[in-house]
Amino acid sequence: MDNGTYEYALEMTTPLGIRHGNLELRVQAGFLNGSLTMFTRTIPIRAGRWEENRIFFCGDMKTLMKMLPYQAEGQISGNQISLTFLTETGDYPATGCLVKHSKEV
């Protein structure tokens, strides 16, 4: 991944069905930050990094019932992203595609 901002439209599989969201990743010298919008809430991600086509980051998702901490890991291939969100209540797979990319100037 080149330095810049990448926005992905996501579909996450949850016990209550498919949920749609958005992942914005800002890449700078191998490190990531950005935000995850899932369950209608946008929350910053933290402690992110990428290595070749693998990405790792952590954060929280806010459901109707509670705050749900997660660790995410996955891979990027072309315009596609595939992630697993590891949580205390189970693992949630998500897939998505790139909808916007802006390079760092």
Side-chain angles (χ1 to χ4, degrees):
M1 290 178 91
D2 294 328
N3 289 346
T5 302
Y6 299 79
E7 185 178 328
Y8 294 90
L10 293 182
E11 285 189 350
M12 180 183 287
T13 303
T14 73
L16 298 176
I18 299 292
R19 298 294 183 248
H20 296 273
N22 195 29
L23 175 64
E24 181 183 89
L25 297 175
R26 289 184 296 277
V27 178
Q28 177 74 36
F31 294 97
L32 303 174
N33 63 32
S35 61
L36 174 68
T37 302
M38 192 60 65
F39 309 113
T40 71
R41 307 287 177 116
T42 301
I43 300 177
I45 64 171
R46 42 182 203 276
R49 71 185 198 292
W50 67 272
E51 299 168 2
E52 296 182 21
N53 65 342
R54 305 276 309 156
I55 62 171
F56 308 88
F57 59 92
C58 61
D60 297 297
M61 292 183 279
K62 176 89 168 108
T63 70
L64 289 174
M65 305 292 267
K66 65 178 181 173
M67 195 65 88
L68 188 60
Y70 67 83
Q71 291 184 2
E73 56 185 53
Q75 114 178 12
I76 295 173
S77 179
N79 289 338
Q80 303 297 310
I81 190 168
S82 177
L83 298 163
T84 301
F85 289 83
L86 310 164
T87 76
E88 63 188 24
T89 61
D91 298 345
Y92 302 110
T95 58
C97 62
L98 184 67
V99 293
K100 185 178 176 185
H101 173 231
S102 42
K103 291 186 177 184
E104 183 177 285
V105 179

